[in-house]
Amino acid sequence: MSVNEWLVVAGGLTAITWVNWYFLVAGRGRVAVSAATAGGREVRITVDGGYEPALIKVPAGEPVRLLFDRRDSSPCSEEVVFPDFGIRQFLPTGKTTPIEITPPKPGKYEFMCGMSMLHGTVIAEPSASISDSPR
């Protein structure tokens, strides 16, 4: 192979690595722990090119209210889907939309936009392992 061919291969591998990092890893560092309030547990999720936070810890078997604050106007973010709960909810831009779920048992419960490009995860843990302060 010539030097130019090697450069093309290296560039392609770099692009593949960047795309995988961007869609699978970037922006996943923050973890929200549901906060206990007078009305139950709540987590505010900002929708702006992704979900922030994209990883949420809640106690299993307890209802939690997820407050989706949509700031993004792209068509992809106009809907959120929770397949495990049979929820498909429209999210109006500039408004907060509450969605209440009760994870029945410990485990991971994925949520995504209607086009499945934006992803988030609710992790239900045994009640004793959830504290009321964010990490």
Side-chain angles (χ1 to χ4, degrees):
M1 284 174 68
S2 71
V3 172
N4 287 339
E5 290 171 327
W6 279 109
L7 289 174
V8 169
V9 169
L13 290 173
T14 301
I16 290 169
T17 302
W18 180 83
V19 167
N20 283 318
W21 172 82
Y22 182 82
F23 285 106
L24 301 175
V25 178
R28 304 243 177 183
R30 186 168 166 230
V31 176
V33 176
S34 62
T37 65
R41 294 189 171 270
E42 287 187 347
V43 176
R44 180 170 292 278
I45 302 167
T46 302
V47 182
D48 192 5
Y51 300 114
E52 178 60 35
L55 185 60
I56 301 152
K57 291 187 179 181
V58 301
E62 293 184 29
V64 63
R65 183 177 217 183
L66 304 173
L67 304 171
F68 285 86
D69 178 13
R70 182 173 176 223
R71 298 179 185 170
D72 188 351
S73 61
S74 74
C76 180
S77 66
E78 71 184 7
E79 188 175 51
V80 66
V81 179
F82 286 82
D84 294 315
F85 298 98
I87 296 172
R88 181 178 285 276
Q89 179 68 48
F90 177 75
L91 303 175
T93 303
K95 297 189 178 178
T96 300
T97 304
I99 295 178
E100 296 185 16
I101 61 170
T102 304
K105 60 184 179 178
K108 289 184 179 183
Y109 299 90
E110 303 288 328
F111 61 96
M112 67 227 38
C113 69
M115 296 179 185
S116 196
M117 293 175 64
L118 310 176
H119 293 271
T121 305
V122 173
I123 297 177
E125 296 182 335
S127 296
S129 66
I130 298 286
S131 68
D132 290 330
S133 61
R135 292 180 187 166

